[in-house]
Amino acid sequence: MRDMSSSKTASLGSVTGRDDFIIGEALATALIALERLPETRQPTRNMADMKMLLNSLYAPPEVSLHLTTARWRFIPSARPFGARDV
């Protein structure tokens, strides 16, 4: 595995201007997708690490927002009353 601190991109700062948001979105979406797999196919250790990473990078309200948004994508009926598509 390469040391990220010595990579070219690490010195550039943000790549998209919203890297933190995209990383949170990706982690939450992956978690919700993996939770929908049959239990025998779920990579539980990876999922636990993904949850730990998500919770260490973001405050609880941000984690909740990312997970809620991901659930809406996979389970449209989970949308709260009055919520709109994003």
Side-chain angles (χ1 to χ4, degrees):
M1 184 174 214
R2 205 168 71 193
D3 179 16
M4 290 302 288
S5 62
S6 65
S7 75
K8 267 178 144 177
T9 56
S11 64
L12 296 176
S14 178
V15 175
T16 66
R18 52 192 203 118
D19 296 358
D20 288 342
F21 178 79
I22 298 299
I23 291 166
E25 190 88 348
L27 284 168
T29 301
L31 278 167
I32 299 303
L34 292 170
E35 286 174 355
R36 296 182 56 82
L37 291 173
E39 266 188 58
T40 56
R41 295 189 55 217
Q42 292 180 5
T44 53
R45 286 188 357 187
N46 289 350
M47 291 168 66
D49 287 347
M50 291 167 79
K51 287 176 187 175
M52 191 177 354
L53 184 57
L54 188 62
N55 285 304
S56 71
L57 292 173
Y58 305 97
E62 291 172 297
V63 171
S64 181
L65 176 65
H66 284 302
L67 289 171
T68 299
T69 301
R71 280 188 192 96
W72 290 355
R73 288 191 178 101
F74 288 96
I75 313 163
S77 63
R79 288 188 175 118
F81 181 73
R84 297 179 306 177
D85 286 334
V86 287

